[in-house]
Amino acid sequence: QVQLVESGGGLVQPGGSLRLSCAASGFTFSSYRMSWFRQAPGKGLEWVSFITTDGGRTSYTDSVKGRFTISRDNAKNTLYLEMNSLKDEDTGVYYCTKGNSPPEGQGTQVTVSS
């Protein structure tokens, strides 16, 4: 059974940092491109970033370029999202996904507020 468990969210002031983690199980993690999505209050799901199977290529939505870094540890079956210089508009629930699948986990709440 596929499980994706996100963690690391919290309340942070503008300009602060957080590191999200996504622990994967139930599938061959190293065989899947992985992505982060987020959903702001009252808005739809937004793609944030993806990383290829070996971590060799990454991509980001324009609003987070230069501030967020996606990475993965295939030995630990874990996906990460390092978020720096956080802004109010980064607030939302963050989800990790495998391949082209929709979010399956509970997500982790990120709140950026002073």
Side-chain angles (χ1 to χ4, degrees):
Q1 182 181 355
V2 172
Q3 279 200 317
L4 295 168
V5 180
E6 301 92 345
S7 62
L11 173 63
V12 63
Q13 292 186 340
S17 299
L18 285 172
R19 188 193 196 202
L20 307 184
S21 298
C22 169
S25 61
F27 65 101
T28 305
F29 179 74
S30 59
S31 296
Y32 285 85
R33 182 182 79 168
M34 298 293 295
S35 301
W36 284 99
F37 284 77
R38 66 186 179 186
Q39 187 164 25
K43 296 189 176 181
L45 202 61
E46 175 190 25
W47 169 76
V48 174
S49 178
F50 82 77
I51 186 168
T52 51
T53 54
D54 63 354
R57 189 164 73 92
T58 60
S59 185
Y60 302 89
T61 191
D62 285 347
S63 63
V64 308
K65 283 180 181 176
R67 300 189 297 120
F68 289 13
T69 302
I70 190 172
S71 62
R72 65 191 297 162
D73 186 335
N74 286 342
K76 294 183 178 179
N77 290 346
T78 304
L79 177 72
Y80 302 100
L81 185 68
E82 185 77 35
M83 306 188 297
N84 298 314
S85 302
L86 283 161
K87 304 176 180 179
D88 291 353
E89 52 263 42
D90 295 318
T91 293
V93 180
Y94 284 69
Y95 303 90
C96 63
T97 67
K98 61 179 265 292
N100 295 322
S101 299
E104 300 179 43
Q106 297 297 310
T108 186
Q109 175 71 48
V110 171
T111 303
V112 184
S113 175
S114 54

